[in-house]
């Protein structure tokens, strides 16, 4: 079973309400998983990075502009990384380190943030190398919130998958992505390579 939610409807009053809804999901998820192939996972974004992402959302969807409030809510979400009650397994695609969100200054600050937080006890952060062989078909990003739900964010809306057999396949896919990703020193090296790229731009 799938449930879809159109962005223009969800964001009809701006981004802050939707961000607070997502914050609730994270607060209620002691253990979660996320695969994000082409941008930085929202809960690790700097305020500058998040502001630009949300500004693009507002402009693209032509919804009310409350970007500052939405970014502030996204920053509040990061409390789950420091409260000692949550743990997240996250795999970023290597492309996420190079997708231009805001230019060299914003990207440099964002990658420095990843290097600072990669060792958090609440976080297992992997980077999937661009040439990695993965034992599943290529897939868009998704989150597993630990409540029997796989969540996708697409161009026109979001989709929640709740059929247990389908959620199990997402767990299997995440396992394959995680197995192919780099962690620890190897992940840090990929981030440092990207950081050097942005510092030289």
């Amino acid at each position: 079973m799938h449930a879809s939610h159109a962005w223009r409807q969800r964001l009809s009053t701006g981004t802050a309400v939707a961000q607070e809804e997502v914050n609730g999901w994270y607060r209620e998820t002691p253990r979660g998983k996320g695969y994000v192939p082409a941008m930085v996972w929202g809960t690790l974004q700097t305020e500058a990075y998040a502001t630009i992402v949300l500004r693009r959302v507002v402009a693209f969807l032509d919804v009310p502009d409350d970007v500052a409030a939405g970014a502030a809510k996204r920053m509040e979400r990061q409390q789950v990384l420091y409260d000692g009650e949550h743990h997240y397994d996250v795999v970023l695609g290597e492309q996420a380190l190079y997708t231009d969100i805001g230019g060299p200054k914003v990207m440099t600050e964002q990658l420095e943030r990843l290097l600072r937080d990669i060792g958090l006890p609440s976080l297992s952060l992997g980077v999937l190398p661009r040439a990695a062989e993965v034992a599943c078909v290529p897939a868009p990003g998704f989150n597993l919130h630990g409540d029997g739900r796989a969540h996708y964010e697409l161009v026109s809306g979001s989709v929640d998958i709740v059929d247990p057999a389908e959620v199990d396949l997402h767990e299997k896919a995440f396992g394959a992505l995680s197995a192919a990703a780099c962690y620890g020193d190897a992940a840090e090296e990929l981030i440092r390579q990207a950081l050097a790229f942005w510092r030289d731009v």
Side-chain angles (χ1 to χ4, degrees):
M1 183 180 295
H2 305 166
S4 61
H5 311 276
W7 286 129
R8 281 181 167 157
Q9 181 178 351
R10 286 188 66 196
L11 303 177
S12 61
T13 60
T15 63
V17 171
Q19 289 298 305
E20 179 56 33
E21 180 183 6
V22 174
N23 291 358
W25 297 346
Y26 278 83
R27 287 192 295 267
E28 295 165 7
T29 303
R31 292 191 66 89
K33 299 174 183 176
Y35 168 55
V36 194
M39 64 186 296
V40 172
W41 185 55
T43 311
L44 282 173
Q45 291 175 5
T46 65
E47 186 169 6
Y49 188 106
T51 296
I52 290 165
V53 169
L54 293 176
R55 187 174 294 140
R56 291 183 183 179
V57 168
V58 164
F60 181 75
L61 295 173
D62 192 24
V63 295
D65 184 348
D66 68 341
V67 167
K73 286 292 183 183
R74 184 166 289 190
M75 294 303 100
E76 287 179 15
R77 186 191 315 166
Q78 298 179 5
Q79 295 172 5
V80 298
L81 296 174
Y82 307 104
D83 64 10
E85 299 177 358
H86 296 80
H87 189 276
Y88 300 96
D89 297 309
V90 178
V91 175
L92 300 180
E94 187 177 358
Q95 177 58 45
L97 310 178
Y98 293 92
T99 300
D100 189 349
I101 304 291
K105 183 176 186 295
V106 172
M107 291 301 299
T108 295
E109 292 174 351
Q110 178 62 71
L111 297 183
E112 289 172 344
R113 163 78 190 276
L114 293 183
L115 288 173
R116 285 197 304 272
D117 284 358
I118 195 169
L120 286 173
S122 60
L123 184 66
S124 295
L125 179 61
V127 178
L128 183 69
R130 58 183 178 270
E133 183 176 359
V134 183
C136 67
V137 297
F142 60 89
N143 287 280
L144 293 161
H145 286 288
D147 57 358
R149 176 169 56 105
H151 179 77
Y152 281 89
E153 295 189 348
L154 306 175
V155 171
S156 59
S158 61
V159 176
D160 289 313
I161 296 173
V162 296
D163 178 81
E166 293 189 54
V167 174
D168 284 347
L169 283 175
H170 284 78
E171 291 280 2
K172 182 177 180 180
F174 187 86
L177 292 159
S178 181
C182 295
Y183 290 85
D185 291 345
E188 288 189 29
E189 178 57 26
L190 289 174
I191 297 170
R192 291 185 192 282
Q193 289 174 13
L195 184 57
F197 168 84
W198 286 109
R199 284 174 171 166
D200 288 342
V201 171

